[in-house]
Amino acid sequence: MRVACTLALLAATCLTTPAIGQVRPGEPPITATTRASGGPIDAERGALHLEHADLAIEVRPDTQTLRGVGTLTLRTSAPQSRLLIDLDKNLPVSAVSIDGKPLQPGAWSNPEGRLKITLPRRLAAGAKTVVRIVYGGTPHVAVRAPWDDGIVWGRTPADKKPWVATTAEGYGCDLFWPCLDFPRGEPDTVDLHITVPAGMSAPSNGLLQRVEKLPDGRTTWHWKARTPNPYSVALNIAPYKEVSGTYQTRFGGKIPMSYWYLPGRETKAQGLFAEFAPTLDFFEQILGPYPWFDEKVGVVETPHLGMEHQTINAYGNNYKKTPSGFDEIFQHELAHEWFGNQMSAANWDDYWLHEGYAQYFQPLYGQWREGDARYAAMMDEFRNQIRNLAPIVSGRILTEEEVYETDKGGPGGDIYVKGAWVLHTLRNLIGDKDFWDVTRRLVYGRPDPKPGNFQPRFASTPEYIAIVNQVTGKDLTWFFDVYLRQAALPDLLQTRAGDQLTLRWQVPGNGPFPLPVEVQVDGKLQTLAMTASTATITVPATAHVVIDPAARILRRSAAVEALQAYAQRAGQ
C-alpha cells in the first residue's frame, strides 16, 4: 500500500509522527538512483540472483544512525567482472570482502547509490560468490511514511520511548541494506540479526530463531524468512508487548499468530487481534491456504499507516472504526500476503495485480460478513474515487514512482479502486467459478493449492490475461485492452426511436467491446449480448427502463464526473 491519500484512506487517518530530534524528515537527501526502485535493469544487475542475505543491523535511536553487515550470496546467469549492488550512499561502506578475502578500498565506489565492486576474478555464468559489505551511517528519514519512504524515528505516545519503523516500497530496500532493488531482486532466504537498545523489541519477517542478550543490556533478535520482497524486509523497534495465539487452518495445520503493540493499548490490541482468525478463515475459504503457513501471521503497530511487510505487516490505523465493521487497513495489508508476497508482479507496471486485488478483497470480505448491501456500498465508495488520468497498465518497464504517482504520469490510486472495479466487472462477466479458478492460478500457479504444493511466484498482466483466456475458453483480450490499457472508461450510449432502444458501446480506438449489459424493463430483467458492441430492443415508450441495475459494469458515469468536478472546485 503506497498511494496519495484517497477518500477512504483519509477516513482512516493519514498519520505522521514527530521525529526524535536530530535528523529532520527528508534528510539526509537521497540521489535519483536511490529514489528509483525498479525500472529498466542493467544487464549486469539483471543477471544476478540473490540466494541468501544475512543482515546484521544495529539500530541506534539515540543518534538516529544504523550500522550493518550484509553478507550476500549471489549467483550470476552471465559473466561478471564487477558487482552492482544497490545501497544508499548515506550509508558509507567501510569494508568489502569477496568469498572471505578482503578487498582494498579502491576496489569499490558508491557515488550515486549503486555500489560498484570490482571482482578480484571474473565470475563465469552460473557461478556463485559471497560478498560481505560493512556499512553504516544516517539513513534517510521519511517525510510522510508510508507515502514516501525511509526510517521513522518516532516516540511512543505514553512514555516517549523510541518507536522506530521503516518503509521502503517506493524508494527501495537500498535505504537500509545492500540489495537488488527491483522486484525480481527478491532473495530466496534472509537471516536478520537486529540489535536494539535495552528494553526494546524488534519483531520482523519470518520465524524468530533466538533473542540474544548482550552484556550491556542490548538485545539481538534473529529472524529467518523465505522469499520476502526486497522492500518487505522491515525494521520495527519499540518497547512492544505481544499478544499471540494459534490459527487452526482449513487445511489441517496450525499457524502461530502474533500482534506486537504499544504498552497501554491492551484492550484495543486485543480487539484487533480478535480479527486475525476470522479474516484468515475468509481468505482460506474463498481463495486458498495462507502462503506462509510454515512461518507466522504477524502484525506490528507502527508510527505510519501500514505496509505489506511479509509476515510482519505494519499497522498504524489507530484502531479506527469504519462502517464496514472491520479494520480495513489490517485486512488490506493481510490481503497482500497473497497478492504481493506470494504472487509478486515482476514489473511495477503490473502492480494493479497487487493493489487491485487487495482492494477488491475489502468489499468481498464485507459481503462475506454481511451480504450484498455491504459489498455494494463499499464498491460505490471506490467508484467515486476512480480518476482515469492514465491507463493502469502501460506495457513498459516502470519504476515504482512512475506507477504510484500521478504527477509522474502514473495511474496512482486507480491501480487500487479502478483495479477493484475491473475485477468486479470481470467476475460478473465470466462468473464466480471461472473467476476464482483464474485467481487461484494467478496466486498459486495452480487451481488446487494446498500447503506444500506451491511456491512463491512472479506474475505479469499478459500472463493474467492468458490465464483468463485459458480458463474461460474465450479470447477476452478486448476486455483488458479497454479497461487496463486505456485511461478513458467505456461509454454506454443510448438512443430511442419510437419503441426501439439502441445501446452502443463507445470505447477508445473504437475497437470491439462486446460486453453484455443487463436491462430492466418495467421490473423485468434481460441480458443483451451486445454482439458487435451494440444491441437494439423493443421497449414501449411508457416503460420504465434501468440500465445495468445491479451495477455490474465499470463504465463512464456523468454523475461521478460531476461529483468529482464539484469536489475539486470546493477544494476537497
Side-chain angles (χ1 to χ4, degrees):
M1 181 191 73
R2 182 180 183 269
V3 65
C5 294
T6 64
L7 296 178
L9 292 182
L10 281 170
T13 307
C14 294
L15 302 180
T16 58
T17 302
I20 286 180
Q22 288 94 333
V23 185
R24 292 181 299 179
E27 295 184 353
I30 55 176
T31 66
T33 298
T34 297
R35 187 182 182 99
S37 181
I41 308 300
D42 299 331
E44 291 170 286
R45 294 169 68 217
L48 294 175
H49 174 68
L50 183 52
E51 293 187 349
H52 180 65
D54 187 287
L55 306 175
I57 301 175
E58 181 180 4
V59 180
R60 297 175 169 177
D62 57 337
T63 59
Q64 294 193 352
T65 59
L66 62 79
R67 63 180 183 181
V69 178
T71 304
L72 312 181
T73 302
L74 295 158
R75 190 177 295 276
T76 181
S77 61
Q80 301 268 10
S81 58
R82 64 176 183 173
L83 299 177
L84 297 177
I85 308 295
D86 296 297
L87 182 64
D88 184 5
K89 72 173 188 175
N90 291 309
L91 304 174
V93 173
S94 58
V96 177
S97 64
I98 300 291
D99 297 325
K101 296 181 180 179
L103 301 183
Q104 295 300 313
W108 72 84
S109 64
N110 188 17
E112 294 297 328
R114 184 152 299 143
L115 180 63
K116 300 176 178 66
I117 303 172
T118 302
L119 293 167
R121 60 179 179 81
R122 186 176 175 83
L123 279 179
K128 182 167 66 175
T129 190
V130 178
V131 54
R132 182 176 183 270
I133 301 166
V134 181
Y135 65 98
T138 301
H140 177 74
V141 176
V143 175
R144 195 168 61 98
W147 293 277
D148 68 359
D149 295 299
I151 197 162
V152 178
W153 301 107
R155 290 284 191 183
T156 59
D159 51 16
K160 308 305 178 185
K161 291 184 178 179
W163 186 18
V164 183
T166 59
T167 68
E169 183 182 9
Y171 303 160
C173 48
D174 47 341
L175 290 172
F176 314 109
W177 60 283
C179 63
L180 303 178
D181 185 20
F182 48 90
R184 285 192 180 272
E186 187 174 284
D188 293 338
T189 55
V190 172
D191 279 277
L192 270 165
H193 310 267
I194 307 168
T195 300
V196 296
M200 298 289 108
S201 300
S204 194
N205 312 88
L207 284 175
L208 182 63
Q209 306 298 299
R210 64 191 294 251
V211 179
E212 179 185 2
K213 188 171 183 178
L214 304 179
D216 61 0
R218 291 176 301 150
T219 53
T220 298
W221 298 64
H222 178 194
W223 298 88
K224 193 176 190 68
R226 60 179 174 90
T227 63
N229 283 333
Y231 71 80
S232 183
V233 175
L235 305 177
N236 303 282
I237 297 98
Y240 288 117
K241 290 190 174 184
E242 179 186 358
V243 56
S244 61
T246 302
Y247 170 64
Q248 178 68 53
T249 80
R250 287 179 170 261
F251 298 87
K254 295 182 178 180
I255 304 173
M257 304 183 298
S258 288
Y259 176 45
W260 286 268
Y261 64 94
L262 295 185
R265 300 183 176 183
E266 284 79 6
T267 301
K268 291 180 178 180
Q270 288 284 356
L272 181 67
F273 186 70
E275 295 192 32
F276 282 31
T279 312
L280 282 162
D281 189 57
F282 156 73
F283 279 104
E284 289 208 326
Q285 179 182 338
I286 73 166
L287 181 56
Y290 177 70
W292 317 104
F293 55 87
D294 55 342
E295 295 188 350
K296 71 175 185 300
V297 177
V299 179
V300 59
E301 192 169 6
T302 55
H304 62 79
L305 188 60
M307 186 57 67
E308 62 267 21
H309 297 148
Q310 188 172 301
T311 71
I312 191 66
N313 285 337
Y315 172 83
N317 198 29
N318 204 27
Y319 311 100
K320 190 174 183 65
K321 301 302 180 183
T322 62
S324 66
F326 61 91
D327 196 300
E328 295 174 16
I329 295 300
F330 159 73
Q331 198 266 358
H332 179 94
E333 304 307 344
L334 185 65
H336 280 307
E337 296 286 26
W338 285 264
F339 303 101
N341 295 337
Q342 161 61 26
M343 180 282 298
S344 301
N347 175 12
W348 287 107
D349 189 45
D350 299 314
Y351 263 57
W352 78 276
L353 293 170
H354 292 208
E355 305 294 10
Y357 260 108
Q359 194 80 5
Y360 188 44
F361 264 73
Q362 293 180 0
L364 286 172
Y365 187 43
Q367 185 179 44
W368 189 75
R369 285 165 48 91
E370 296 182 60
D372 293 345
R374 178 62 59 199
Y375 176 88
M378 297 180 76
M379 290 301 298
D380 187 61
E381 180 183 6
F382 295 168
R383 177 64 186 89
N384 293 335
Q385 297 171 32
I386 297 173
R387 300 179 66 191
N388 303 308
L389 298 178
I392 57 178
V393 175
S394 73
R396 297 180 290 117
I397 298 175
L398 300 178
T399 66
E400 191 272 356
E401 288 189 309
E402 289 173 323
V403 174
Y404 281 78
E405 298 190 12
T406 56
D407 61 358
K408 291 181 171 58
D414 275 5
I415 65 173
Y416 294 73
V417 288
K418 187 174 181 178
W421 262 88
V422 170
L423 294 171
H424 165 78
T425 306
L426 177 66
R427 179 184 169 207
N428 281 291
L429 173 63
I430 67 177
D432 276 6
K433 181 179 180 298
D434 282 355
F435 179 80
W436 291 116
D437 191 0
V438 165
T439 303
R440 291 186 188 98
R441 291 172 187 265
L442 169 72
V443 172
Y444 299 102
R446 59 189 303 159
D448 58 343
K450 295 178 178 60
N453 76 352
F454 60 87
Q455 296 292 325
R457 64 188 307 272
F458 290 98
S460 68
T461 299
E463 183 204 28
Y464 183 72
I465 296 171
I467 293 172
V468 171
N469 291 344
Q470 176 192 354
V471 168
T472 62
K474 301 175 183 177
D475 185 356
L476 297 181
T477 304
W478 57 267
F479 177 93
F480 298 102
D481 282 347
V482 169
Y483 279 122
L484 299 183
R485 298 186 173 113
Q486 303 287 341
L489 292 176
D491 195 2
L492 187 58
L493 305 180
Q494 307 175 38
T495 56
R496 293 290 295 262
D499 288 346
Q500 300 297 299
L501 170 64
T502 298
L503 302 181
R504 180 173 64 85
W505 283 114
Q506 184 177 73
V507 298
N510 296 316
F513 196 70
L515 183 65
V517 178
E518 290 182 342
V519 178
Q520 186 175 284
V521 181
D522 285 336
K524 189 173 181 179
L525 190 67
Q526 59 182 300
T527 301
L528 306 186
M530 300 297 288
T531 305
S533 306
T534 188
T536 299
I537 57 173
T538 300
V539 176
T542 58
H544 178 63
V545 178
V546 181
I547 307 298
D548 187 27
R552 299 186 189 278
I553 297 173
L554 175 61
R555 58 191 174 104
R556 184 181 173 220
S557 166
V560 171
E561 291 174 0
L563 171 67
Q564 292 176 341
Y566 172 80
Q568 186 173 15
R569 288 194 303 270
Q572 298 177 6

